Amino acid sequence: MKIAVIGAMEEEIKLMREQLDITNERQLAKITFYEGSYADHEVILCKSGVGKVNAAITTQLLIDHYNVEAIIFTGVAGALSPNLNIGDIVISTSSMYHDIDASALGFAKGTIPMFDHPSDFRADEKLIAIAADAASELNELTVSKGRILSGDQFIADGALVKQYEQQFAGACIEMEGAAVAHAAYLNDVPFVIIRSISDKANGEANVNFVEFTKLASEHSSYIVQKMLKKLKEL
């Protein structure tokens, strides 16, 4: 299979790049795409950059130029669920934007207005199952499935954490996943978002994020590698 693996930051792709048998590097829209192989799959690895626009552009480039058959986005996130601790894993059942607000027009927050499709983009069931199976091998961590929220803000406010968890029933919060999911959905490409918790999205989030991003990225990379070994066909 031809599989895309995306991370937003260097830390989130570094370990996977070290494992990949790279045969070519290519730049498109100032993004470097590493072409290689792993576990009998053709893998296209890239760093999208932080934020929804970067993530959406990167995803569309992967689809248009590489015709990828599946997309895995991996990286870190802030916990919304009080049951999640730093290092724990969240596998997306779906992804949506928390920062789109057309409520003045009568749309519920999080709903994309005048959009004839769902605003909550569902991940591929088989990829979810394979990711959960791979993550279960990290015995010391809690692995959850749930909705992942995305927006162009780094959340470090306990009041917002409670609001978003209650309002959107989100498990964790980050800045790219829903944009990847949105582009994948419109192109009928299976996807899953895998997030390792780097912070509690509270008043200490900025400190926790820097300290635990490396550890969380190691967990995410481990899961992606295990997924590729388990993944046959969709």
Side-chain angles (χ1 to χ4, degrees):
M1 289 183 66
K2 187 180 289 188
I3 302 170
V5 178
I6 313 172
M9 303 181 298
E10 177 63 24
E11 293 87 349
E12 295 170 333
I13 68 163
K14 181 176 182 292
L15 293 176
M16 189 66 217
R17 188 172 61 230
E18 291 171 355
Q19 296 298 317
L20 200 63
D21 182 13
I22 296 172
T23 56
N24 190 43
E25 295 181 21
R26 182 182 184 188
Q27 282 224 335
L28 296 167
K30 299 181 173 61
I31 299 164
T32 301
F33 295 85
Y34 300 95
E35 305 168 15
S37 60
Y38 186 86
D40 297 323
H41 296 292
E42 186 176 350
V43 177
I44 314 300
L45 175 70
C46 60
K47 178 183 72 174
S48 65
V50 173
K52 297 183 301 184
V53 173
N54 282 328
I57 289 171
T58 300
T59 305
Q60 194 63 52
L61 287 169
L62 283 162
I63 294 167
D64 289 346
H65 291 270
Y66 291 101
N67 196 29
V68 294
E69 299 169 80
I71 296 171
I72 302 170
F73 194 101
T74 178
V76 300
L80 292 178
S81 169
N83 298 321
L84 289 171
N85 293 306
I86 289 170
D88 287 345
I89 303 297
V90 177
I91 298 164
S92 69
T93 53
S94 66
S95 302
M96 67 183 296
Y97 304 114
H98 66 79
D99 61 349
I100 189 164
D101 184 358
S103 55
L105 300 176
F107 295 91
K109 289 184 179 179
T111 298
I112 303 171
M114 294 74 153
F115 184 62
D116 296 328
H117 303 278
S119 297
D120 187 25
F121 304 104
R122 296 197 60 81
D124 180 77
E125 293 292 342
K126 185 170 183 180
L127 288 175
I128 293 171
I130 294 171
D133 185 36
S136 69
E137 298 181 22
L138 288 165
N139 296 321
E140 73 277 14
L141 301 177
T142 297
V143 179
S144 301
K145 301 174 187 176
R147 176 178 291 151
I148 294 177
L149 304 183
S150 304
D152 283 324
Q153 299 89 30
F154 183 91
I155 303 301
D157 182 327
L160 283 177
V161 168
K162 292 181 181 178
Q163 176 186 326
Y164 291 149
E165 185 201 7
Q166 294 170 2
Q167 187 173 29
F168 300 113
C172 67
I173 194 163
E174 36 87 308
M175 300 176 71
E176 298 85 25
V180 172
H182 189 162
Y185 166 81
L186 291 177
N187 288 276
D188 296 315
V189 177
F191 73 91
V192 70
I193 313 298
I194 301 166
R195 292 294 190 175
S196 183
I197 299 302
S198 60
D199 62 86
K200 300 285 279 185
N202 55 22
E204 299 178 354
N206 59 334
V207 177
N208 292 342
F209 181 81
V210 173
E211 184 176 354
F212 292 106
T213 290
K214 183 177 184 295
L215 173 64
S217 296
E218 288 173 359
H219 292 162
S220 296
S221 179
Y222 175 89
I223 293 168
V224 172
Q225 291 173 43
K226 290 292 183 181
M227 280 186 72
L228 292 173
K229 291 176 180 177
K230 295 172 182 290
L231 185 59
K232 301 303 179 186
E233 297 292 335
L234 290 176

